């Protein structure tokens, strides 16, 4: 079962794919889709990381170079690696029932991989098509989440506050506050 904090998406277009991917990465998918073993989870994370590295390399490439005709060596290597990872997954139509009791038909990856892993890999591909792959993140608590806003860096308010508490600015303000509080406490003005 997916918690609301994992899927707060504000109605973004890629919500169904993000839901599948977050469920798979957090190992909260339905049992019928297969187990998320360490190896299968790592394969999906590697696919995700390869997509992100390739996108970063494309952004870093000079604008005056034709990437279709002549890709820099590093970008060519990343594209080859990405295609090798994608070759592991062959697609075929797959229907399943959504949480709201509607049928959702998607292209699942067939073959030797479990249905859950196939759907997760397909979700990575679909999120890339929608240019939403950068909204998938890993929180400091270790859970994956799909960001409602581009600036979101944590899965919940509690994790956001924990992250804020680790900043130097917070520590300095807290240190100053506690010094003042200690002085007041010592003077007897505060219980």
């Amino acid at each position: 079962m997916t918690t609301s904090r994992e899927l707060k998406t504000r109605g973004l277009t890629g919500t169904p794919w993000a839901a599948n991917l977050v469920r798979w990465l957090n190992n909260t998918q339905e049992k019928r889709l297969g187990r998320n073993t360490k190896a299968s989870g790592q394969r999906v994370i590697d696919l995700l990381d390869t997509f992100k590295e390739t996108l970063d390399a494309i952004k870093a490439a000079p604008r005056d170079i034709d990437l279709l005709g002549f890709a820099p060596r590093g970008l060519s290597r990343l594209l080859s690696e990405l295609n090798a990872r994608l070759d592991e997954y062959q697609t075929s139509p797959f229907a399943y029932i959504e949480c709201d009791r509607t049928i959702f038909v998607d292209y699942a990856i067939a073959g030797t991989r479990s249905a859950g892993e196939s759907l997760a890999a397909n979700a990575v591909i679909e999120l890339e098509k929608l240019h939403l792959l950068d909204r998938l993140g890993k929180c400091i608590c270790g859970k994956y989440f799909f960001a409602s806003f581009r600036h979101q860096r944590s899965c919940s308010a509690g994790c956001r506050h924990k992250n804020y508490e680790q900043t130097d600015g917070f520590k300095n303000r807290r240190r100053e506050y506690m010094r003042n509080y200690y002085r007041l406490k010592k003077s007897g003005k505060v219980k």
Side-chain angles (χ1 to χ4, degrees):
M1 186 168 132
T2 305
T3 62
S4 61
R5 80 179 199 168
E6 291 172 339
L7 297 176
K8 283 186 181 172
T9 57
R10 305 243 185 230
L12 290 173
T13 307
T15 301
W17 295 290
N20 289 334
L21 185 55
V22 168
R23 282 186 204 119
W24 179 257
L25 292 174
N26 290 333
N27 206 9
T28 58
Q29 78 282 358
E30 295 88 13
K31 299 275 189 250
R32 65 182 169 78
L33 295 176
R35 287 187 30 182
N36 179 356
T37 63
K38 190 172 187 176
S40 63
Q42 191 59 49
R43 279 191 298 269
V44 172
I45 289 170
D46 289 344
L47 176 65
L48 180 66
D49 290 343
T50 306
F51 258 116
K52 287 183 176 182
E53 283 180 54
T54 306
L55 289 170
D56 289 343
I58 290 169
K59 287 178 187 173
R63 287 275 185 206
D64 59 340
I65 293 178
D66 178 22
L67 294 180
L68 296 176
F70 176 75
R73 173 173 265 163
L75 185 56
S76 295
R77 182 190 54 79
L78 284 170
L79 281 173
S80 296
E81 183 181 341
L82 181 60
N83 284 323
R85 291 191 189 285
L86 290 173
D87 281 343
E88 293 180 30
Y89 304 102
Q90 300 298 316
T91 60
S92 66
F94 180 76
Y96 57 95
I97 299 172
E98 281 288 311
C99 299
D100 61 355
R101 296 180 171 261
T102 59
I103 294 177
F104 187 77
V105 178
D106 201 358
Y107 283 95
I109 294 112
T112 59
R113 308 293 183 215
S114 69
E117 182 180 348
S118 298
L119 288 172
N122 192 36
V124 171
I125 295 165
E126 292 297 329
L127 287 173
E128 169 47 34
K129 286 181 187 176
L130 295 169
H131 305 289
L132 294 173
L133 202 57
D134 59 339
R135 289 190 178 227
L136 184 74
K138 189 170 185 179
C139 187
I140 60 170
C141 68
K143 291 200 177 251
Y144 286 87
F145 67 97
F146 188 66
S148 302
F149 302 101
R150 292 211 180 271
H151 62 273
Q152 186 177 344
R153 299 288 176 252
S154 52
C155 67
S156 66
C159 288
R160 184 178 67 236
H161 190 69
K162 279 182 191 175
N163 198 17
Y164 169 67
E165 286 175 345
Q166 295 173 3
T167 63
D168 290 333
F170 174 83
K171 289 177 182 179
N172 291 337
R173 285 188 291 280
R174 182 69 179 171
R175 193 177 301 116
E176 186 62 33
Y177 168 79
M178 290 308 289
R179 279 190 195 124
N180 291 335
Y181 180 76
Y182 178 73
R183 285 187 203 119
L184 287 172
K185 182 90 168 154
K186 199 170 179 183
S187 69
K189 294 180 180 177
V190 177
K191 288 187 181 184

